[in-house]
Amino acid sequence: QQQVKQSPQSLIVQKGGISIINCAYENTAFDYFPWYQQFPGKGPALLIAIRPDVSEKKEGRFTISFNKSAKQFSLHIMDSQPGDSATYFCAASTEGGSEKLVFGKGTKLTVNP
Amino acid sequence: DTEVTQTPKHLVMGMTNKKSLKCEQHMGHRAMYWYKQKAKKPPELMFVYSYEKLSINESVPSRFSPECPNSSLLNLHLHALQPEDSALYLCASSRRMGPTEAFFGQGTRLTVV
C-alpha cells in the first residue's frame, strides 16, 4: 500500500512533442505529490508538486494532473526539449507527519533533437 | 539560497578506511535527510534528523553513523564499508519533518574498493 507505481520506465519523444509520465498510488493518506528531475551524476531537483485539493497545477511547460478518485497523477511536459532529457521520479507522502517520501521507480526521458 | 551543499563530490575508500560525508544548508530547514541511491533506482531513505535529533533510522547497518552537529550541518561517518555500499549518497533538507518541498544536494559518489 506504500508503493507508488510509475510508468513508463523509459520514454523517447521528439523535440516539440508532449512527454507524459504516469503514477498511481494506493495509500489514500498520501496528500503531497512531488515530481523530481534528476540529471546524470546530480541530485534530484524538485520540479513541481501538487496537493489533492486541486486537479491540475501548471508551471511553465510542466503540468501535473491529479485524479483523486482514480488515485493517479501524471506529469505532462509540453514542447519537450533536448535539455529535458533526464530521469523523472514521482513521489508521495503525508504532509507534516513522519512518513517518508515514497518514490516511483523513475522514468528515463530522452528528447531527440 | 535554496542550496544543499555536499562534500566531497567523489570519494574512493578502502574497506578498512574511515571517512565522513558532509552536508550543509542555510535555508533554516529543521529536517535533514540522508538517502542512498544506486544506479537506475530511486533514492532510498537512510536517516532523518528533526531539530538535530535522529528521528528515523531505516534499519541502516552500523557501519553508517549519522551526526547532526547543528541545524545547518549533517555528517555521515563511514567505517568498514563493503563494495556493495558503493552508491550516490544524497543529503536533503526540508522546513520540517514530513518531507514537503525537500531540497536535495548534488550527492557524493562513493566507491568502496
Side-chain angles (χ1 to χ4, degrees), chain B residues 36-44 83-88 109:
Chain B
K36 173 183 177 179
Q37 187 177 28
K38 300 284 263 185
K40 300 184 179 181
K41 299 289 186 184
E44 296 175 38
E84 59 264 29
D85 296 321
S86 299
L88 183 68
R109 173 69 63 190

Side-chain angles (χ1 to χ4, degrees), chain B:
Chain B
D1 182 8
T2 57
E3 198 168 306
V4 176
T5 303
Q6 289 187 244
T7 55
K9 286 187 169 47
H10 302 274
L11 178 62
V12 179
M13 61 184 289
M15 290 188 283
T16 58
N17 291 161
K18 285 185 181 181
K19 296 287 185 183
S20 297
L21 309 184
K22 297 185 185 302
C23 174
E24 191 168 3
Q25 57 89 14
H26 296 288
M27 295 178 278
H29 289 175
R30 302 314 299 268
M32 296 185 75
Y33 311 78
W34 281 114
Y35 284 83
K36 173 183 177 179
Q37 187 177 28
K38 300 284 263 185
K40 300 184 179 181
K41 299 289 186 184
E44 296 175 38
L45 183 65
M46 301 174 71
F47 303 103
V48 181
Y49 273 83
S50 177
Y51 291 86
E52 294 113 72
K53 287 185 169 41
L54 183 64
S55 296
I56 296 177
N57 176 341
E58 290 285 304
S59 302
V60 179
S62 59
R63 59 186 183 268
F64 295 91
S65 175
E67 179 196 20
C68 190
N70 60 55
S71 60
S72 299
L73 295 174
L74 186 67
N75 298 322
L76 185 63
H77 303 296
L78 313 172
H79 173 56
L81 295 192
Q82 303 296 309
E84 59 264 29
D85 296 321
S86 299
L88 183 68
Y89 287 85
L90 296 161
C91 173
S93 70
S94 61
R95 275 181 294 142
R96 50 183 168 74
M97 207 169 85
T100 56
E101 297 183 348
F103 292 89
F104 283 82
Q106 297 293 286
T108 294
R109 173 69 63 190
L110 174 67
T111 303
V112 181
V113 296

Side-chain angles (χ1 to χ4, degrees), chain A residues 25 28-33 50-56 66-68 93 95:
Chain A
Y25 64 97
T28 55
F30 287 147
D31 56 6
Y32 174 69
F33 303 90
I50 198 168
R51 291 177 171 82
D53 52 343
V54 296
S55 60
E56 186 174 283
F66 185 81
N67 186 329
K68 188 173 181 178
S93 76
E95 185 177 12

Side-chain angles (χ1 to χ4, degrees), chain A residues 1-6 23-30 33 71-73 90-93 99-105, chain B residues 42:
Chain A
Q1 198 181 22
Q2 282 294 92
Q3 281 186 328
V4 175
K5 294 183 179 178
Q6 184 172 347
C23 287
Y25 64 97
E26 289 294 325
N27 187 351
T28 55
F30 287 147
F33 303 90
K71 291 184 281 188
Q72 295 175 347
F73 58 110
C90 64
S93 76
E99 296 292 329
K100 60 185 179 182
L101 265 177
V102 179
F103 284 92
K105 292 191 174 183

